[in-house]
Amino acid sequence: MKRRFWRICVLPSILMGATVASFAQDAKTVAKTLPVPDERYKLDVLLVVAHPDDEAAATAYLAKAMDEGKRAGVAYGTRGSSGANEAGTEQAAALGDIREVEARRALAKLGISDVWFIGGRDTASQDVLQSLSTWDHGAVLEQMVRIVRLTRPEVILTFLPGTFIGEDHGDHQAAGVLATEAFDLAGDPLVFPEQVTGPMRRLEPYFDNLRPWQPKKIYYFADASREDIFKGKGPSISLTDISKSTKQPYWRMALGSFLSHETQAKAYIDSFAKMDEAEIEKKATSNGWTQPLEFVLGKSLVGGSVTGDVFEGIKPGAIAFQRTQAAPASELPDVAIELAGPWNFYAAFRRAHGIENLPHPEPPEIALQAGTTLVIPLWLRNETASAQEIALTVDLPAGWKVESGDGKFLVAAQQVAALRVEISLPALNDAKATKQDAQEVTVHGASNGKSIGTVKLRVELRKRALPE
Ligand SMILES: [Zn+2]
């Protein structure tokens, strides 16, 4: 044991006694090669999503990248243990166990076997902060950073961290937030330093012996209904090109992969079973499978153009860690109202991560289920040395009603107080419609008879929507 330990440590040969003469001879003349990180797990592109089946948003691209010799892997935030089971009776954690297998089968069809689940809890809401809370943000970030250091991706591809009219799933957004945080943190040896510390003993049980890794580019795709604000912000990936390896178009490979998700879409999947290829293409085209993928460039640390190839500017080998410089926040008056919640978080997040280029709607927006309650979270800010009265009034579309949160409030000196304006939403104008056009809600703030600002939100009423 002792001899082997010395050899591994490459102790100076002067320490080697006569009892290890033969080894000492080796050590003097032949350098012992030290082990290196396992090359089999090195990726070119790491896709970070929230649920089994989310990967379908980018599998056509991954298939294309793999045709070009790139190595791809996928990290999921959750096992997808919420929602309906279309294929059996299993629910909750058991459903999550099945969906993990479905995701692995879906990716195996494309030749992707490097798949990780970081164990967040599937959380049905539009609020990224709820998802980050139920996922146990600190713990899943630690795992995400470990996966980036282990797989050393050149490129990270993930959901766009932002809130939009759309499905706008908080878990999707959380995947984008974690991936962005890991992009900026994995190269910093002071972040989770126990992961990048060398072993202190044989069979080291505490330290990962990974190395810091700075990915080179991060790209996003949005979970939003609108497409206009994302066009031209990154490469557009054609999916009708034919794969060298399968002789199929890339959209067809993505659809074939998706057919593994039976607990999520059994009826839809079964509908393809009796179709010939022409019928499959017709249906898939009408369902958007053949549409180009519109990626948004978050940032590149190696140059290249915004709409150029994902791997443009990327050369083999590590690059130095680049600490992100946060952009300064705009100054607010001493007495002010601000939209809080996820909207406020994202404004600060974009500044902190150097991604102020990410498209986001102005005014901020959300789609909510008709007949439910809209909550507008606010910060009431008083930086002055005395208590201040702030009066809130709300402008609403006809038929919408303020339940609480308007009126006068006293904010203590040098305090920032949280307040909710709650608005009951009417039924849809047309009971047969699935949605109606977005309308604007405005909260006016005033203090000492003067305006201290307004908060606007565009709200689309839908027949169904995730909870706010
Ligand atoms: Zn999802």
Side-chain angles (χ1 to χ4, degrees):
M1 282 307 280
K2 213 169 181 183
R3 285 184 189 178
R4 275 180 61 204
F5 180 66
W6 282 358
R7 277 169 57 80
I8 288 164
C9 284
V10 200
L11 277 183
S13 59
I14 196 161
L15 293 181
M16 302 276 187
T19 53
V20 289
S22 61
F23 294 116
Q25 194 61 34
D26 280 358
K28 273 182 192 163
T29 54
V30 183
K32 169 109 170 95
T33 301
L34 293 172
V36 296
D38 195 332
E39 187 60 17
R40 293 172 302 168
Y41 296 93
K42 167 82 178 76
L43 296 178
D44 293 301
V45 53
L46 174 64
L47 172 67
V48 182
V49 290
H51 312 116
D53 95 348
D54 290 346
E55 80 287 342
T59 39
Y61 171 70
L62 296 184
K64 198 168 190 173
M66 289 169 74
D67 257 4
E68 291 161 6
K70 304 292 191 285
R71 292 158 291 180
V74 182
Y76 291 90
T78 79
R79 289 183 168 77
S81 55
S82 296
N85 181 351
E86 287 201 16
T89 54
E90 297 78 4
Q91 288 288 311
L95 179 57
D97 288 345
I98 292 175
R99 288 194 171 157
E100 176 175 339
V101 173
E102 288 177 342
R104 290 184 186 282
R105 286 179 180 161
L107 290 166
K109 287 178 184 168
L110 301 170
I112 297 171
S113 57
D114 293 2
V115 184
W116 289 273
F117 291 81
I118 62 174
R121 198 170 95 200
D122 191 341
T123 305
S125 95
Q126 296 189 56
D127 190 338
V128 63
L129 301 174
Q130 285 188 28
S131 294
L132 290 171
S133 173
T134 62
W135 287 21
D136 197 350
H137 191 171
V140 289
L141 178 60
E142 183 183 359
Q143 291 196 58
M144 198 64 242
V145 168
R146 180 181 287 111
I147 289 167
V148 170
R149 287 169 171 169
L150 168 68
T151 60
R152 293 155 279 148
E154 308 293 314
V155 174
I156 291 180
L157 179 58
T158 188
F159 280 110
L160 193 146
T163 185
F164 301 93
I165 288 175
E167 183 184 10
D168 198 37
H169 202 302
D171 287 346
H172 295 177
Q173 299 171 45
V177 165
L178 283 174
T180 306
E181 289 176 338
F183 182 95
D184 280 355
L185 296 176
D188 185 345
L190 296 179
V191 171
F192 306 122
E194 64 281 7
Q195 292 182 1
V196 289
T197 298
M200 291 297 284
R201 62 183 88 173
R202 204 175 76 81
L203 307 179
E204 169 61 59
Y206 303 118
F207 305 142
D208 297 82
N209 196 20
L210 294 168
R211 298 293 175 270
W213 179 260
Q214 175 63 69
K216 294 165 188 167
K217 288 183 170 185
I218 184 164
Y219 286 90
Y220 301 103
F221 46 89
D223 184 19
S225 300
R226 66 194 300 174
E227 289 169 353
D228 55 325
I229 62 173
F230 308 111
K231 282 230 162 96
K233 304 286 170 132
S236 177
I237 314 286
S238 164
L239 304 187
T240 50
D241 302 349
I242 304 296
S243 162
K244 282 186 295 191
S245 55
T246 66
K247 314 289 182 241
Q248 286 184 321
Y250 292 109
W251 70 262
R252 184 67 182 85
M253 293 174 71
L255 176 64
S257 164
F258 177 79
L259 300 181
S260 293
H261 292 292
E262 290 189 295
T263 60
Q264 310 218 38
K266 183 146 187 352
Y268 182 70
I269 289 164
D270 287 350
S271 72
F272 288 101
K274 289 190 179 127
M275 291 183 184
D276 63 26
E277 279 300 317
E279 291 166 330
I280 290 172
E281 180 165 0
K282 194 169 166 213
K283 183 178 172 85
T285 301
S286 71
N287 295 162
W289 285 95
T290 57
Q291 286 280 312
L293 298 180
E294 305 292 345
F295 290 163
V296 172
L297 175 62
K299 54 183 166 179
S300 168
L301 306 182
V302 292
S305 59
V306 171
T307 55
D309 185 81
V310 168
F311 282 87
E312 185 182 89
I314 291 179
K315 297 188 191 79
I319 59 168
F321 168 57
Q322 298 195 22
R323 194 177 298 281
T324 306
Q325 298 299 321
S330 51
E331 285 279 316
L332 284 170
D334 283 352
V335 182
I337 63 165
E338 270 185 288
L339 184 58
W343 297 282
N344 193 284
F345 162 70
Y346 278 126
F349 186 81
R350 287 189 294 267
R351 282 197 305 276
H353 290 279
I355 46 174
E356 287 182 294
N357 54 313
L358 289 199
H360 54 278
E362 284 297 343
E365 63 182 27
I366 192 164
L368 290 176
Q369 191 162 316
T372 63
T373 301
L374 161 66
V375 176
I376 304 178
L378 297 173
W379 291 122
L380 271 53
R381 189 175 290 277
N382 174 17
E383 306 285 0
T384 73
S386 57
Q388 297 289 332
E389 192 176 281
I390 293 180
L392 299 181
T393 53
V394 186
D395 291 343
L396 290 173
W400 300 31
K401 186 164 168 286
V402 178
E403 292 292 333
S404 67
D406 59 352
K408 291 179 178 173
F409 303 91
L410 195 63
V411 185
Q414 291 170 340
Q415 295 296 316
V416 179
L419 183 81
R420 299 186 312 280
V421 175
E422 298 192 351
I423 294 160
S424 61
L425 302 171
L428 291 175
N429 291 338
D430 173 359
K432 284 186 198 136
T434 55
K435 60 179 183 177
Q436 69 190 49
D437 288 344
Q439 302 192 68
E440 213 163 89
V441 174
T442 309
V443 181
H444 300 274
S447 186
N448 292 318
K450 279 191 232 149
S451 170
I452 56 163
T454 58
V455 163
K456 275 189 206 296
L457 207 53
R458 277 179 75 241
V459 183
E460 181 181 286
L461 295 190
R462 292 188 165 189
K463 193 170 177 183
R464 290 207 194 293
L466 283 171
E468 185 180 0

